Amino acid sequence: MPEATPVRTAGTRPRILHLITDPRRRGAQSLARDLHRELRRRGQASALRALAPHPDAHPDAPDTRATAVLGPGRLHPRTLGALRAAARTADLVVAHGSSTLPACAIALAGTRTPFVYVSIGDPRHWTAGAVRRLRTGALLHRAAAVTALADEAAELLVERFRLPAARVRTIPNARSADRYPPAADEADRRAARQALGLPSDGLLVAWLGAIAPEKRLDLALDALGRLPDVRLAVAGDGPQRSALERHPAAARAHFLGTLADPAPLYRAADAVLLSSDSEGVPGVLIEAALAGLPAVATDVGWVGSVVRDGITGALVSPGDPPALAEALAKVLAGDRAGLGAAARAHALAHNELDVVADAWQQLFGEVCGRVGGGAAGPAGPAAPAGPAAEADRVGAAKDGPDGGRG
């Protein structure tokens, strides 16, 4: 028998619990945090929890300090028990990131709290094997709804996992524009470089992400080796960092480690580079576009929904260093200001959080209406007890007095 929960009063907004894998600042986590803050700004009850800690989480980042962690491991029994308990204070759980899918499917079994799974990657990459595809499909069918970042991704989810089309929704990736302002002028750009310990003059390209095999920093460095007048600022960390710091082109690369806030790097750079073998719709490209940067990116996943080839930057085939270097040289030598302005305009129209949050709130209402239950609560921040509540209060204080953008 499902656990009994009070029926949500008609007209009240559903209380949302956002679940992320860990406190790191990565794609799924960034979307969750921005959406959480925007919902609170709008007066909707929203809480944020991480499944488990991670050693690479930046200890000084405000988001890390303010994120409550449920347990010692992603699928640890204590973690799942804490998730089940936290879900009792919510009408709906939104699961951001692959590890949150099995966690919700297990922890919420037998309860009346539904969950929505946010698919941000390319399932052709992360479910290549038949066993993994079957297991993932079974878990996805437990979700009340699944969101995709592009229409093509939604169609692929329906086809690959035989999901009912009515339960799959396209909601674009998004970021808050006010968190990624463009450089005001050249003096602002130089100040940003100085703050990051970067050369004040010369062409600078930003690369941001986990230094892991699928992100192909090696490809970016191969391209850099063909562009002697360009420097590369690398923001991120990962298992390949030590090896790639010895790359022949690394003498013109600046390894900054994980940044608590990437916005200064966007203001410091002349362009952003993405060299991945697999992506969904990378938040890095949206952040850079909002900051007015042109992008050069490998044409994988649904990157083309953000980078418009020849309009906001350039797209190249993956795994091709000469093509990547040629495209980067062309963008850097061309009308960077025009490309950057077009990138910002496109991102504001399609990927700005204020626009995308409307679609999320509509989905929340539809899902909670279908299940016909959940805990009642007035519009406004939820108030669970214990350390998690303290983390939410810290987060609200950092967001500003209105509980939203600070």
Side-chain angles (χ1 to χ4, degrees), residues 113-302:
T113 305
F115 74 94
V116 172
Y117 177 65
V118 184
S119 175
I120 69 167
D122 185 342
R124 293 169 297 191
H125 180 78
W126 49 266
T127 61
V131 173
R132 178 172 289 185
R133 185 162 60 249
L134 288 171
R135 183 171 62 242
T136 301
L139 294 172
L140 288 172
H141 277 268
R142 298 290 302 274
V146 178
T147 68
L149 301 182
D151 288 337
E152 298 87 346
E155 293 168 4
L156 186 61
L157 287 168
V158 170
E159 176 186 353
R160 194 174 187 85
F161 303 110
R162 299 183 179 181
L163 294 172
R167 284 168 53 190
V168 180
R169 180 73 57 87
T170 299
I171 302 182
N173 201 355
R175 294 291 187 271
S176 296
D178 57 1
R179 289 178 169 254
Y180 306 101
D185 49 32
E186 190 58 33
D188 189 20
R189 189 180 305 279
R190 289 187 178 184
R193 291 189 181 191
Q194 183 178 10
L196 292 168
L198 298 169
S200 59
D201 297 314
L203 292 169
L204 179 71
V205 175
W207 187 100
L208 302 91
I211 307 180
E214 69 276 8
K215 298 297 184 179
R216 295 302 304 273
L217 177 57
D218 62 313
L219 186 73
L221 291 169
D222 288 345
L224 181 67
R226 298 169 180 268
L227 302 171
D229 297 328
V230 178
R231 290 185 174 272
L232 186 71
V234 178
D237 213 334
Q240 292 190 317
R241 175 172 174 172
S242 295
L244 292 177
E245 285 179 326
R246 298 190 295 271
H247 188 284
R252 286 183 287 110
H254 304 267
F255 287 79
L256 304 176
T258 302
L259 299 179
D261 179 9
L265 179 55
Y266 296 129
R267 293 197 300 274
D270 296 296
V272 68
L273 176 62
L274 183 133
S275 49
S276 304
D277 280 341
S278 174
E279 289 286 356
V281 180
V284 163
L285 294 179
I286 296 170
E287 295 166 4
L290 290 170
L293 282 187
V296 176
T298 45
D299 191 7
V300 295
W302 301 278

Side-chain angles (χ1 to χ4, degrees), residues 312-362:
T312 70
L315 293 173
V316 301
S317 298
D320 191 342
L324 199 64
E326 181 181 354
L328 191 55
K330 184 176 180 180
V331 165
L332 291 173
D335 180 13
R336 296 197 304 273
L339 292 171
R344 178 170 168 79
H346 183 269
L348 287 172
H350 299 278
N351 303 103
E352 212 288 314
L353 189 66
D354 189 53
V355 175
V356 173
D358 289 341
W360 275 109
Q361 288 190 300
Q362 181 178 348

Side-chain angles (χ1 to χ4, degrees), residues 36-62:
H36 164 62
R37 292 189 183 99
E38 177 63 15
L39 292 176
R40 291 170 70 104
R41 186 188 72 84
R42 294 178 177 205
Q44 181 158 6
S46 180
L48 177 73
R49 302 288 181 268
L51 284 174
H54 195 283
D56 293 339
H58 198 292
D60 296 327

